[in-house]
PDB file of all heavy atoms in Angstrom:
ATOM      1  N   PRO A 647      15.843 165.458 110.733  1.00 97.00           N
ATOM      2  CA  PRO A 647      17.258 165.122 111.304  1.00 97.00           C
ATOM      3  C   PRO A 647      17.779 163.790 110.819  1.00 97.00           C
ATOM      4  O   PRO A 647      16.876 162.876 110.638  1.00 97.00           O
ATOM      5  CB  PRO A 647      17.163 165.412 112.690  1.00 97.00           C
ATOM      6  CG  PRO A 647      15.698 165.271 113.025  1.00 97.00           C
ATOM      7  CD  PRO A 647      14.881 165.623 111.902  1.00 97.00           C
ATOM      8  N   ALA A 648      19.014 163.612 110.876  1.00 96.00           N
ATOM      9  CA  ALA A 648      19.644 162.395 110.363  1.00 96.00           C
ATOM     10  C   ALA A 648      19.196 161.113 111.304  1.00 96.00           C
ATOM     11  O   ALA A 648      19.082 160.074 110.794  1.00 96.00           O
ATOM     12  CB  ALA A 648      21.175 162.444 110.406  1.00 96.00           C
ATOM     13  N   ASP A 649      18.884 161.428 112.498  1.00 96.00           N
ATOM     14  CA  ASP A 649      18.524 160.328 113.468  1.00 96.00           C
ATOM     15  C   ASP A 649      17.053 160.157 113.643  1.00 96.00           C
ATOM     16  O   ASP A 649      16.578 159.655 114.632  1.00 96.00           O
ATOM     17  CB  ASP A 649      19.192 160.599 114.955  1.00 96.00           C
ATOM     18  CG  ASP A 649      18.626 161.930 115.536  1.00 96.00           C
ATOM     19  OD1 ASP A 649      17.865 162.782 114.819  1.00 96.00           O
ATOM     20  OD2 ASP A 649      18.766 162.109 116.827  1.00 96.00           O
ATOM     21  N   VAL A 650      16.356 160.679 112.648  1.00 97.00           N
ATOM     22  CA  VAL A 650      14.727 160.526 112.759  1.00 97.00           C
ATOM     23  C   VAL A 650      14.371 159.287 112.962  1.00 97.00           C
ATOM     24  O   VAL A 650      13.222 159.160 113.764  1.00 97.00           O
ATOM     25  CB  VAL A 650      14.250 161.213 111.372  1.00 97.00           C
ATOM     26  CG1 VAL A 650      14.620 160.318 110.206  1.00 97.00           C
ATOM     27  CG2 VAL A 650      12.736 161.302 111.468  1.00 97.00           C
ATOM     28  N   ALA A 651      14.898 158.195 112.474  1.00 95.00           N
ATOM     29  CA  ALA A 651      14.381 156.836 112.642  1.00 95.00           C
ATOM     30  C   ALA A 651      14.392 156.398 114.085  1.00 95.00           C
ATOM     31  O   ALA A 651      13.612 155.446 114.482  1.00 95.00           O
ATOM     32  CB  ALA A 651      15.158 155.915 111.672  1.00 95.00           C
ATOM     33  N   SER A 652      15.128 157.077 114.955  1.00 95.00           N
ATOM     34  CA  SER A 652      15.173 156.706 116.302  1.00 95.00           C
ATOM     35  C   SER A 652      14.147 157.407 117.183  1.00 95.00           C
ATOM     36  O   SER A 652      13.983 157.121 118.295  1.00 95.00           O
ATOM     37  CB  SER A 652      16.540 156.985 116.949  1.00 95.00           C
ATOM     38  OG  SER A 652      16.761 158.300 116.962  1.00 95.00           O
ATOM     39  N   LYS A 653      13.339 158.357 116.548  1.00 95.00           N
ATOM     40  CA  LYS A 653      12.325 159.000 117.330  1.00 95.00           C
ATOM     41  C   LYS A 653      10.987 158.336 117.162  1.00 95.00           C
ATOM     42  O   LYS A 653      10.745 157.599 116.150  1.00 95.00           O
ATOM     43  CB  LYS A 653      12.270 160.476 116.734  1.00 95.00           C
ATOM     44  CG  LYS A 653      13.529 161.256 117.020  1.00 95.00           C
ATOM     45  CD  LYS A 653      13.439 162.677 116.280  1.00 95.00           C
ATOM     46  CE  LYS A 653      14.899 163.240 116.277  1.00 95.00           C
ATOM     47  NZ  LYS A 653      15.193 163.915 117.490  1.00 95.00           N
ATOM     48  N   PRO A 654      10.180 158.461 118.198  1.00 96.00           N
ATOM     49  CA  PRO A 654       8.845 157.900 118.101  1.00 96.00           C
ATOM     50  C   PRO A 654       7.932 158.448 116.985  1.00 96.00           C
ATOM     51  O   PRO A 654       7.665 159.584 117.008  1.00 96.00           O
ATOM     52  CB  PRO A 654       8.225 158.045 119.478  1.00 96.00           C
ATOM     53  CG  PRO A 654       8.918 159.196 120.037  1.00 96.00           C
ATOM     54  CD  PRO A 654      10.255 159.205 119.390  1.00 96.00           C
ATOM     55  N   ASN A 655       7.565 157.641 115.924  1.00 96.00           N
ATOM     56  CA  ASN A 655       6.811 158.092 114.799  1.00 96.00           C
ATOM     57  C   ASN A 655       6.174 156.875 114.258  1.00 96.00           C
ATOM     58  O   ASN A 655       6.595 155.739 114.545  1.00 96.00           O
ATOM     59  CB  ASN A 655       7.909 158.680 113.809  1.00 96.00           C
ATOM     60  CG  ASN A 655       7.345 159.338 112.649  1.00 96.00           C
ATOM     61  OD1 ASN A 655       6.576 158.860 111.802  1.00 96.00           O
ATOM     62  ND2 ASN A 655       7.575 160.669 112.519  1.00 96.00           N
ATOM     63  N   LEU A 656       5.077 157.028 113.490  1.00 98.00           N
ATOM     64  CA  LEU A 656       4.418 155.858 112.939  1.00 98.00           C
ATOM     65  C   LEU A 656       5.157 155.104 111.900  1.00 98.00           C
ATOM     66  O   LEU A 656       4.890 153.962 111.521  1.00 98.00           O
ATOM     67  CB  LEU A 656       3.106 156.192 112.413  1.00 98.00           C
ATOM     68  CG  LEU A 656       1.936 156.695 113.399  1.00 98.00           C
ATOM     69  CD1 LEU A 656       0.657 156.953 112.689  1.00 98.00           C
ATOM     70  CD2 LEU A 656       1.754 155.586 114.477  1.00 98.00           C
ATOM     71  N   ASN A 657       6.221 155.749 111.370  1.00 98.00           N
ATOM     72  CA  ASN A 657       7.093 155.168 110.361  1.00 98.00           C
ATOM     73  C   ASN A 657       6.375 154.581 109.224  1.00 98.00           C
ATOM     74  O   ASN A 657       6.415 153.412 108.822  1.00 98.00           O
ATOM     75  CB  ASN A 657       7.953 154.014 111.041  1.00 98.00           C
ATOM     76  CG  ASN A 657       8.845 154.475 112.131  1.00 98.00           C
ATOM     77  OD1 ASN A 657       9.277 155.657 112.230  1.00 98.00           O
ATOM     78  ND2 ASN A 657       8.981 153.745 113.207  1.00 98.00           N
ATOM     79  N   PRO A 658       5.624 155.471 108.464  1.00 98.00           N
ATOM     80  CA  PRO A 658       4.845 154.976 107.321  1.00 98.00           C
ATOM     81  C   PRO A 658       5.835 154.652 106.174  1.00 98.00           C
ATOM     82  O   PRO A 658       6.987 154.768 106.243  1.00 98.00           O
ATOM     83  CB  PRO A 658       3.964 156.174 107.055  1.00 98.00           C
ATOM     84  CG  PRO A 658       4.769 157.343 107.430  1.00 98.00           C
ATOM     85  CD  PRO A 658       5.548 156.839 108.634  1.00 98.00           C
ATOM     86  N   GLY A 659       5.152 154.330 105.053  1.00 98.00           N
ATOM     87  CA  GLY A 659       5.895 154.174 103.770  1.00 98.00           C
ATOM     88  C   GLY A 659       6.367 152.763 103.465  1.00 98.00           C
ATOM     89  O   GLY A 659       6.108 151.791 104.145  1.00 98.00           O
ATOM     90  N   TRP A 660       7.224 152.746 102.431  1.00 98.00           N
ATOM     91  CA  TRP A 660       7.691 151.393 101.821  1.00 98.00           C
ATOM     92  C   TRP A 660       6.552 150.471 101.645  1.00 98.00           C
ATOM     93  O   TRP A 660       6.530 149.341 102.045  1.00 98.00           O
ATOM     94  CB  TRP A 660       8.792 150.857 102.769  1.00 98.00           C
ATOM     95  CG  TRP A 660       9.583 149.824 102.029  1.00 98.00           C
ATOM     96  CD1 TRP A 660       9.882 148.578 102.339  1.00 98.00           C
ATOM     97  CD2 TRP A 660      10.444 150.134 100.817  1.00 98.00           C
ATOM     98  NE1 TRP A 660      10.707 147.940 101.417  1.00 98.00           N
ATOM     99  CE2 TRP A 660      11.030 148.821 100.468  1.00 98.00           C
ATOM    100  CE3 TRP A 660      10.696 151.206 100.106  1.00 98.00           C
ATOM    101  CZ2 TRP A 660      11.953 148.794  99.378  1.00 98.00           C
ATOM    102  CZ3 TRP A 660      11.564 151.141  98.943  1.00 98.00           C
ATOM    103  CH2 TRP A 660      12.132 149.912  98.683  1.00 98.00           C
ATOM    104  N   THR A 661       5.386 151.011 101.112  1.00 98.00           N
ATOM    105  CA  THR A 661       4.239 150.269 100.716  1.00 98.00           C
ATOM    106  C   THR A 661       4.439 149.543  99.483  1.00 98.00           C
ATOM    107  O   THR A 661       5.354 149.755  98.710  1.00 98.00           O
ATOM    108  CB  THR A 661       3.042 151.185 100.610  1.00 98.00           C
ATOM    109  OG1 THR A 661       3.329 152.102  99.626  1.00 98.00           O
ATOM    110  CG2 THR A 661       2.643 151.921 102.023  1.00 98.00           C
ATOM    111  N   LYS A 662       3.597 148.487  99.255  1.00 98.00           N
ATOM    112  CA  LYS A 662       3.808 147.619  98.159  1.00 98.00           C
ATOM    113  C   LYS A 662       3.633 148.317  96.797  1.00 98.00           C
ATOM    114  O   LYS A 662       2.717 149.140  96.602  1.00 98.00           O
ATOM    115  CB  LYS A 662       2.829 146.556  98.178  1.00 98.00           C
ATOM    116  CG  LYS A 662       3.063 145.517  99.307  1.00 98.00           C
ATOM    117  CD  LYS A 662       2.134 144.322  99.256  1.00 98.00           C
ATOM    118  CE  LYS A 662       1.989 143.590 100.655  1.00 98.00           C
ATOM    119  NZ  LYS A 662       3.325 142.924 100.991  1.00 98.00           N
ATOM    120  N   LEU A 663       4.520 148.035  95.792  1.00 98.00           N
ATOM    121  CA  LEU A 663       4.246 148.379  94.472  1.00 98.00           C
ATOM    122  C   LEU A 663       3.930 147.079  93.785  1.00 98.00           C
ATOM    123  O   LEU A 663       4.656 146.229  93.554  1.00 98.00           O
ATOM    124  CB  LEU A 663       5.562 148.932  93.863  1.00 98.00           C
ATOM    125  CG  LEU A 663       5.379 149.471  92.340  1.00 98.00           C
ATOM    126  CD1 LEU A 663       4.641 150.785  92.268  1.00 98.00           C
ATOM    127  CD2 LEU A 663       6.724 149.609  91.717  1.00 98.00           C
ATOM    128  N   VAL A 664       2.583 147.061  93.530  1.00 98.00           N
ATOM    129  CA  VAL A 664       2.014 145.756  93.116  1.00 98.00           C
ATOM    130  C   VAL A 664       2.024 145.620  91.495  1.00 98.00           C
ATOM    131  O   VAL A 664       1.454 146.577  90.853  1.00 98.00           O
ATOM    132  CB  VAL A 664       0.603 145.577  93.600  1.00 98.00           C
ATOM    133  CG1 VAL A 664       0.029 144.366  93.049  1.00 98.00           C
ATOM    134  CG2 VAL A 664       0.542 145.567  95.171  1.00 98.00           C
ATOM    135  N   LYS A 665       2.612 144.591  90.990  1.00 98.00           N
ATOM    136  CA  LYS A 665       2.561 144.356  89.524  1.00 98.00           C
ATOM    137  C   LYS A 665       1.169 143.862  89.189  1.00 98.00           C
ATOM    138  O   LYS A 665       0.808 142.768  89.673  1.00 98.00           O
ATOM    139  CB  LYS A 665       3.605 143.409  89.049  1.00 98.00           C
ATOM    140  CG  LYS A 665       3.731 143.185  87.618  1.00 98.00           C
ATOM    141  CD  LYS A 665       5.161 143.461  87.012  1.00 98.00           C
ATOM    142  CE  LYS A 665       5.177 143.609  85.597  1.00 98.00           C
ATOM    143  NZ  LYS A 665       4.731 142.446  84.833  1.00 98.00           N
TER     144      LYS A 665
END
Side-chain angles (χ1 to χ4, degrees):
Chain A
D649 65 345
V650 62
S652 70
K653 296 171 192 279
N655 191 297
L656 289 183
N657 303 326
W660 202 240
T661 56
K662 290 182 197 293
L663 182 73
V664 176
K665 185 129 196 290

